[in-house]
Amino acid sequence: MCAHVLVVDDDETVRDVVGRYLGAAGHDVALVADGHAALRAARATRPDVVVLDLMLPGLGGLEVCRALRADGELPPIVMLTALGEEDDRLLGLELGADDYVTKPFSPRELVLRVASILRRTAAQPGSPVLTDGGLRLDPAARVATLRDRVLALTTREFDLLAFLLAHPGQAFTREELLSRVWGWEFGDRSTVTVHVRRLREKIEQDPTAPRRIATIWGTGYRYDAEPTGTPAGTGD
C-alpha cells in the first residue's frame, strides 16, 4: 500500500536511512529536520503517517504531536524514542500517538510498523456496523459516533474500540489486546492502559466511573454493553 509518509528527525543519517527504506517499500516520503518544519509539512500535505522523533531541536516531538491533535489532524503517528524516554513515550501516547519504536531500531521493523498501521486505517468493506445504545462504529467507513456526534479517534483508539465492541462481555488481558489490536507479540502493557484511558474520556459519561469499558482487576478489561441500549453487534 503506497502512502505519503512524513519523517521528522534531526539526525541526518536516521532521516536518510528511514527515507530510503520507506521509499523502497513504495511510499512517497518527505523528510524534515525540526518540529516547526514538521507542522508546516503536515498541515500542507496531510500525510497518511507521521514518523516523529521525540527529541527535536526547538519545537520538540511532544509539542508537535500536541499541536497536530489540537488542530484536529489525526494522521497515525509513530514515535521514535530512546531507551531512557519511557515517561516521554507514555506522554506521547496520552497526546494521541499511535505507536512507538525504540532507538536503536531496525529500519525494517519501522517499515513493518508503518505497513501495519496503513492496513488498519484502510476501509474494511463488508464489515458489519457495531452498535451499543447511542454508540455506533462503522469499520468500512472508519467512523465512530456517539449520539450522532462524530468521535475524534486516533487509529489505535478506533481499532481498540472496534475490537471491544465486537467482543462484549469478554475479558482480555493487556497482553491479549497488544497481540490482537496492535499485532505485537511483546511490548509495553502501559500502551494499552493509556489508550483505554483516552477511550473512556471520549465515550464514557463519567470516565472516572466507567460503565462501558470495565477494569477487571488482575486481568485487564471488558466491554459491557449498556443494559438498556442495543447490544454491541451488527447494526444496520
Side-chain angles (χ1 to χ4, degrees):
M1 181 182 298
C2 179
H4 176 48
V5 183
L6 174 63
V7 177
V8 189
D9 199 300
D10 63 324
D11 187 317
E12 184 177 359
T13 300
V14 172
R15 289 198 309 274
D16 179 63
V17 171
V18 170
R20 284 191 290 109
Y21 271 80
L22 288 170
H27 301 302
D28 172 36
V29 185
L31 307 174
V32 298
D34 63 75
H36 291 291
L39 286 181
R40 289 194 299 269
R43 289 163 176 166
T45 65
R46 303 179 68 86
D48 298 302
V49 181
V50 178
V51 177
L52 177 64
D53 186 24
L54 287 189
M55 300 299 292
L56 295 171
L59 190 69
L62 292 176
E63 287 74 21
V64 172
C65 185
R66 182 184 288 110
L68 288 175
R69 295 314 189 217
D71 283 351
E73 297 290 335
L74 296 173
I77 296 175
V78 180
M79 295 182 297
L80 303 180
T81 70
L83 286 173
E85 296 173 353
E86 181 177 358
D87 290 344
D88 284 345
R89 181 172 70 246
L90 293 179
L91 181 54
L93 293 170
E94 290 277 10
L95 292 173
D98 298 276
D99 207 341
Y100 70 89
V101 176
T102 303
K103 293 181 176 180
F105 61 88
S106 161
R108 295 179 187 274
E109 177 191 359
L110 178 59
V111 171
L112 290 174
R113 291 291 183 91
V114 169
S116 174
I117 283 181
L118 289 171
R119 283 196 301 272
R120 290 181 179 276
T121 56
Q124 302 172 34
S127 298
V129 172
L130 304 169
T131 62
D132 174 33
L135 181 62
R136 185 178 189 274
L137 184 145
D138 185 345
R142 288 196 69 86
V143 173
T145 58
L146 181 61
R147 293 184 289 276
D148 298 322
R149 177 177 58 86
V150 176
L151 297 172
L153 301 179
T154 67
T155 300
R156 296 299 189 188
E157 289 167 359
F158 186 95
D159 294 340
L160 178 59
L161 181 57
F163 180 81
L164 292 173
L165 267 172
H167 300 87
Q170 298 183 44
F172 295 95
T173 66
R174 291 171 178 82
E175 290 85 355
E176 287 173 326
L177 291 172
L178 276 176
S179 174
R180 301 184 67 173
V181 177
W182 276 259
W184 301 355
E185 294 309 316
F186 59 89
D188 188 346
R189 294 183 302 170
S190 60
T191 301
V192 176
T193 305
V194 170
H195 279 79
V196 167
R197 181 161 59 244
R198 286 179 55 84
L199 264 184
R200 283 172 169 164
E201 291 171 354
K202 296 179 180 182
I203 70 171
E204 300 281 4
Q205 184 173 355
D206 181 1
T208 64
R211 300 182 63 180
R212 279 190 162 105
I213 304 179
T215 297
I216 309 302
W217 298 108
T219 302
Y221 301 102
R222 182 188 66 227
Y223 188 90
D224 293 331
E226 288 189 346
T228 58
T230 303
T234 302
D236 55 359

